[in-house]
Amino acid sequence: MFPTPIEKRSLPFNLSYRVAVWISLFLWLLPLLAVLLTSARSTADINAGNYWGIPSEWMLFENYTMVFTETPMLRYLLNSILITVPAVIGAVALSTLAGYALAKFKFRGNVALFAAFIAGNFVPFQILMIPVRDLTIGMGLYDTATGLILFHVAFQTGFCTLFMRNFIVGLPDELIEAARVEGVSEWQIFWHVVLPLVRPALAALSVLIFTFIWNDYFWALVLVQSDEVRPITAGISALKGQWMASWQLIAAGSIVAALPPVILFFAMQRHFIAGLTLGATKG
Amino acid sequence: MQKLHSRQQQWMPVLFLAPAVILFVVYVIFPILQSIWLSFYEWDGIGEKTFVGFSNYIELFDDYQFWVALKNNLYWMVFFMLAPPIGLGIALFLNQKVMGIRLVKSMFFFPFVISQVVVGLVFSWFYDPSFGLFNKALGLFGMEPVAVLSDENWVTFGIIVAGLWPQIAYCMILYLTGLNNLSPDQIEAARLDGAHGWKMLRHVILPQLKPATFIAIVVTVIGALRSFDLVATMTSGGPFGTSSVLAYFMYEQSIFNYRAGYGAAIATVLFLIMDIYIAYFLWRMLKSEKA
């Protein structure tokens, strides 16, 4: 282990390390803490300029109730769920199929196709913006959840296919070969042999792209314009325009927007990190 | 039977790939080509397109705003490079087994999980000239308050710092995973040889962390070139376009100024710059694939 385990050092060093860890965490998350506190402040506090101190009056419940009743926040939150969940399912499903084909079948163009998926994953969004917007308008899907979902599925498929392919490559060929010899059809092999084995990868991938899609802001701006469809990221910035001085509401809204990915991250931490650090441990 | 199987084996990959490939071509590959093609046209986004050859590019290279945006992207790339070393530093700091350390590590990772729009808001508060903590801190040292986000000289750096926050968290997690997978034998051997501290880090640890460093640098460069959300939420490119980056400049020209052809030219330039990194990444990836 590197650095040297702290247990091997002197007691004072040990104790000060333990304290330092928490202090640095506090400083690291200070900006976030301020938002959390601000979401519990009263208007009087805001007007008096108390943005960083302890609220003189705790309005946590009132502020969050107000965000959900006076602003379209609940609608935004619902929209984000309605967009993100189908998009995650779609992208993971398509890429599991594609990843299996790239990992376990030999055919011409296999590597080229794989490379295209990887490369597509890194392109700047702006090179896609005008044509994708036109296409979405042309299909009558502008300002609909479907339009946004279709794009997210298509774009995330690049990363997801890379991910699934690399996972499936590691599965033993013998299992698939054995099933083939038994005369099991290719689809049955996929469904009954491959799919049960990739379950951990599916979990890792799902939590990861859930956050990516949930946090998307650019496409929410480009493909959507009404409150009825707008996801929470674009919603927050719309709120900011309308509720300029009501910082406590913006803060509460920000916390609401940040919570789902944070909860998901905490609940599925191991999967999340496994997904994110794919490739970070092997050359 | 055998025959049917081999035929199935030939066609099945095509079926498995078809849905993903079709969507990917329609939404990614084809739009790239279309954008490049569009960059040779003058178009307001709705009416007729007029072919104008290279004139969008000629105008672009003459456009002061383009150079500002490009320069800012360069600043982003240079200063974003602080993320891997700082991330490594934090990872080394946290790589211990004391009580509660797992919770600390995950909470250090928070900034990466939350939306950049929220990060942008948080930092706008932080920098606010009248009540922001940043200026209160400056005040403690007896310095005059600086309105970071409305100061032409500071604004881009202010946004970059906001961008570094999640980026450092990302690099940290990459390095923490890397540190977890170090070979204990090599470290023990080096310790017996008397290596420790800085020397150990440089000659024994860093070489083993190479894959993590590679990914950290790639995602950091791509992140710097992709920066849009923070610029859009914190300043909308202002004041007077001084904090714009290529991604935002393109969006502004196409959506607000109805210049789709010109926007496509900006996007194409950004795409070409990014291609260098994409090509490098692919080359590395496929090379390690063969090995």
Side-chain angles (χ1 to χ4, degrees):
Chain A
M1 197 171 148
F2 185 85
T4 311
I6 205 86
E7 302 90 80
K8 295 187 180 164
R9 306 283 192 123
S10 65
L11 189 67
F13 192 90
N14 220 310
L15 286 178
S16 44
Y17 173 77
R18 280 160 210 254
V19 174
V21 162
W22 289 96
I23 292 177
S24 51
L25 177 66
F26 172 78
L27 290 175
W28 182 245
L29 291 183
L30 194 62
L32 214 54
L33 212 62
V35 179
L36 200 61
L37 282 179
T38 298
S39 76
R41 279 178 219 287
S42 61
T43 322
D45 258 14
I46 303 274
N47 290 339
N50 177 12
Y51 282 89
W52 300 90
I54 299 295
S56 60
E57 186 182 2
W58 290 87
M59 301 284 282
L60 193 71
F61 186 71
E62 291 83 346
N63 285 344
Y64 282 87
T65 313
M66 196 170 163
V67 157
F68 282 117
T69 52
E70 305 288 306
T71 74
M73 203 60 188
L74 193 61
R75 181 73 248 178
Y76 298 149
L77 189 66
L78 201 66
N79 291 339
S80 270
I81 297 170
L82 289 176
I83 290 162
T84 310
V85 173
V88 169
I89 296 173
V92 170
L94 293 193
S95 60
T96 308
L97 286 169
Y100 172 52
L102 288 177
K104 293 297 180 195
F105 290 87
K106 284 196 180 75
F107 55 90
R108 250 202 345 216
N110 185 320
V111 176
L113 205 55
F114 182 49
F117 276 124
I118 303 173
N121 174 44
F122 286 127
V123 301
F125 287 151
Q126 286 68 28
I127 193 98
L128 312 177
M129 184 185 104
I130 300 167
V132 166
R133 192 176 147 99
D134 276 353
L135 176 71
T136 308
I137 294 173
M139 292 191 296
L141 294 175
Y142 180 72
D143 205 22
T144 65
T146 317
L148 211 46
I149 293 169
L150 273 178
F151 174 78
H152 283 312
V153 170
F155 189 79
Q156 296 299 337
T157 293
F159 173 72
C160 296
T161 302
L162 159 70
F163 187 96
M164 291 312 296
R165 185 249 176 218
N166 281 356
F167 188 86
I168 297 174
V169 151
L171 300 179
D173 286 332
E174 291 78 16
L175 281 172
I176 297 163
E177 284 306 326
R180 273 189 194 138
V181 171
E182 291 290 314
V184 182
S185 78
E186 290 296 325
W187 175 254
Q188 299 271 335
I189 294 176
F190 174 74
W191 195 257
H192 293 294
V193 179
V194 177
L195 214 49
L197 292 173
V198 298
R199 245 185 247 145
L202 293 183
L205 192 56
S206 304
V207 283
L208 199 57
I209 63 167
F210 180 94
T211 15
F212 291 165
I213 299 174
W214 183 276
N215 289 337
D216 162 67
Y217 178 54
F218 184 74
W219 294 100
L221 285 184
V222 171
L223 298 181
V224 162
Q225 63 171 176
S226 71
D227 274 350
E228 282 70 44
V229 196
R230 196 176 272 154
I232 204 156
T233 44
I236 293 273
S237 60
L239 276 191
K240 200 177 87 181
Q242 291 155 18
W243 296 80
M244 201 67 116
S246 307
W247 285 108
Q248 76 277 28
L249 289 188
I250 310 289
S254 302
I255 297 292
V256 173
L259 226 41
V262 166
I263 293 173
L264 200 66
F265 166 67
F266 253 110
M268 320 251 321
Q269 215 182 115
R270 229 172 23 121
H271 286 306
F272 192 100
I273 291 173
L276 200 63
T277 52
L278 169 92
T281 48
K282 59 158 196 152
Chain B
M1 204 58 200
Q2 195 53 44
K3 207 168 187 184
L4 176 96
H5 262 277
S6 60
R7 224 203 268 136
Q8 235 191 17
Q9 270 180 45
Q10 234 169 34
W11 283 105
M12 277 323 265
V14 178
L15 290 182
F16 282 143
L17 279 165
V21 169
I22 291 169
L23 260 188
F24 201 66
V25 167
V26 170
Y27 273 99
V28 181
I29 309 292
F30 197 58
I32 293 175
L33 302 175
Q34 259 181 313
S35 280
I36 297 171
W37 173 80
L38 251 179
S39 70
F40 296 105
Y41 285 79
E42 180 75 57
W43 188 38
D44 62 3
I46 311 148
E48 289 288 298
K49 302 180 181 80
T50 332
F51 182 78
V52 291
F54 279 94
S55 84
N56 279 328
Y57 291 96
I58 294 167
E59 186 186 341
L60 192 61
F61 294 138
D62 225 28
D63 189 339
Y64 176 69
Q65 187 56 53
F66 168 74
W67 295 106
V68 171
L70 188 66
K71 189 188 75 194
N72 283 339
N73 267 123
L74 211 68
Y75 282 142
W76 272 85
M77 288 202 332
V78 171
F79 288 97
F80 245 44
M81 276 304 146
L82 291 171
I86 299 177
L88 173 63
I90 298 179
L92 288 172
F93 176 59
L94 295 179
N95 193 35
Q96 293 291 348
K97 291 198 172 83
V98 300
M99 210 181 70
I101 197 76
R102 281 194 49 187
L103 182 68
V104 172
K105 284 179 192 165
S106 2
M107 289 182 68
F108 255 92
F109 189 59
F110 265 14
F112 182 76
V113 185
I114 61 182
S115 151
Q116 299 241 326
V117 176
V118 176
V119 173
L121 279 174
V122 169
F123 273 84
S124 305
W125 276 317
F126 183 68
Y127 290 134
D128 190 283
S130 49
F131 58 75
L133 200 60
F134 178 69
N135 277 307
K136 290 203 169 151
L138 284 187
L140 281 184
F141 295 101
M143 285 192 268
E144 290 291 304
V146 183
V148 178
L149 296 184
S150 44
D151 185 314
E152 294 178 16
N153 299 317
W154 289 106
V155 64
T156 292
F157 302 104
I159 306 175
I160 293 174
V161 169
L164 274 172
W165 194 40
Q167 194 66 33
I168 288 171
Y170 190 178
C171 294
M172 174 204 79
I173 216 82
L174 289 171
Y175 279 120
L176 274 174
T177 312
L179 287 171
N180 246 327
N181 289 292
L182 290 179
S183 131
D185 303 351
Q186 278 190 39
I187 299 177
E188 277 322 304
R191 273 206 181 114
L192 287 179
D193 286 343
H196 57 265
W198 175 247
K199 232 173 142 185
M200 175 83 125
L201 180 68
R202 239 203 89 176
H203 297 289
V204 183
I205 307 297
L206 277 183
Q208 289 190 62
L209 289 176
K210 235 170 150 186
T213 304
F214 173 64
I215 304 268
I217 289 176
V218 169
V219 296
T220 301
V221 170
I222 302 279
L225 286 171
R226 267 198 179 163
S227 53
F228 172 92
D229 294 6
L230 288 174
V231 175
T233 34
M234 292 174 79
T235 62
S236 305
F240 313 113
T242 45
S243 66
S244 196
V245 285
L246 289 177
Y248 190 79
F249 181 42
M250 183 274 167
Y251 171 77
E252 195 182 30
Q253 289 295 328
S254 330
I255 302 276
F256 300 139
N257 294 354
Y258 304 102
R259 297 202 59 197
Y262 195 51
I266 304 168
T268 305
V269 171
L270 180 59
F271 176 68
L272 289 177
I273 298 174
M274 230 134 141
D275 277 346
I276 303 169
Y277 296 93
I278 297 174
Y280 174 65
F281 182 76
L282 270 181
W283 175 70
R284 278 281 308 252
M285 186 104 185
L286 295 176
K287 206 177 69 174
S288 79
E289 197 64 32
K290 274 183 198 137

